[in-house]
Amino acid sequence: MSNRRSSVMQSGTPSRITDDQMIELISKLRQLLPEISHSRSDKVSASKVLQETCSYIRSLHRQVDDLSERLSQLLSTVDADSAEAAIIRSLIT
Amino acid sequence: MKNPQRSPTNPGSVRSRFTQVFLQSLLRIRKHSPASSSSSSSLGEFLKRCHRVKVAAYVSMARAAGTRRAWSRAMLWRVRHDAHRHRLLQGRCSRSSSRERSPGKKKRRTKKKKKRRDDQEHGFGNAEKLQKLVPGGEAMDFSCLLDETAHYIKCLVTQVKVMRSIADFYSL
C-alpha cells in the first residue's frame, strides 16, 4: 500500500484527490447506507455506492415529506398543551 | 444496555437540538394556522401548513447541525433566499408565485460546469446527481461532496427518526 497522502485540501488548488482518500470517503458513505442492498463487502464499485447514496437521499426526502404531511394533519387535531412538555422530556432524556 | 451512538443523552447533541427547535417551530405553526379542526380547513391551507412544517424541519436540522457544515449553510441560505423571493413575488402577482414555490426546494443552478472534469476523471457521472441532492453540492469538489454527503445523511436519518417519533406520539 503506497502512502501517497498528499495534502489536497489546500485552498486555492483544485488538485486531484488520491485514491486512498477516495476509497476512505466512499467506504465511509457505504457504512451509512442501509445494509440490505449490500451482499458482498469490498467488491462494490464506487459509482454503485454513489447511485445508492442518491436513491437513499431521495427516499429520505420522501419520508420527510410524508412525515411532515402527517404532522401537519395531526397538528390540527391535537390541542393539549401539556403534551409538548411530555414529548420534549421523553425525546431528549 | 447502552447505545453510545444511537441515543445520545447529552443535551448538546444534534438530535436533541433538532428536537427542541423543531418542536418550537411546530408550536408556532399551530398558533398561526387558522382552523383548528381538520374538516373545515381548505386544501390550500393544509398544503401551506404542510409546506411550513417541512421547511421548519429542514431549517431546524440545518440549525442544529451548525454553520460549520457547508450543506447546512447552503440550506439556510436557500430557505432565506426562497422566502425573500416569495415575498417579492407575492407583492406583484399571486398567480406566478404558486408556480415558483416548489416545495421540493430543487433549485436548478447549472452554472458550474467545469467541476465535471474532476468527476469524469474518476468516471462518476453519478456525482452530478449527488451534487443536486445535497444542498450546496454544486459548489463543492468531489471529496468535499462525499464528506458533506455523509454528514447530511446522518442528519437526515436523525430528522426522520425524530419526526416519526413525534408523529407516533401525537397519533396515540
Side-chain angles (χ1 to χ4, degrees), chain A residues 28 61 63 65 70 76 84, chain B residues 36 54 147 152 168 170:
Chain A
K28 192 167 74 163
H61 283 168
Q63 287 180 38
D65 286 349
R70 216 175 127 195
S76 54
E84 281 95 27
Chain B
S36 55
K54 188 162 55 165
D147 192 37
Y152 183 53
D168 288 342
Y170 264 130

Side-chain angles (χ1 to χ4, degrees), chain B residues 125-144:
Chain B
N126 295 314
E128 251 185 55
K129 292 188 201 145
L130 189 60
Q131 274 180 327
K132 294 204 177 85
L133 285 173
V134 176
E138 280 128 351
M140 297 176 196
D141 63 350
F142 193 59
S143 57
C144 245

Side-chain angles (χ1 to χ4, degrees), chain A residues 12-31:
Chain A
T13 55
S15 43
R16 305 178 54 158
I17 62 173
T18 65
D19 288 342
D20 290 341
Q21 280 182 329
M22 200 171 68
I23 292 175
E24 202 178 301
L25 287 170
I26 298 268
S27 63
K28 192 167 74 163
L29 262 188
R30 247 186 69 198
Q31 284 164 11

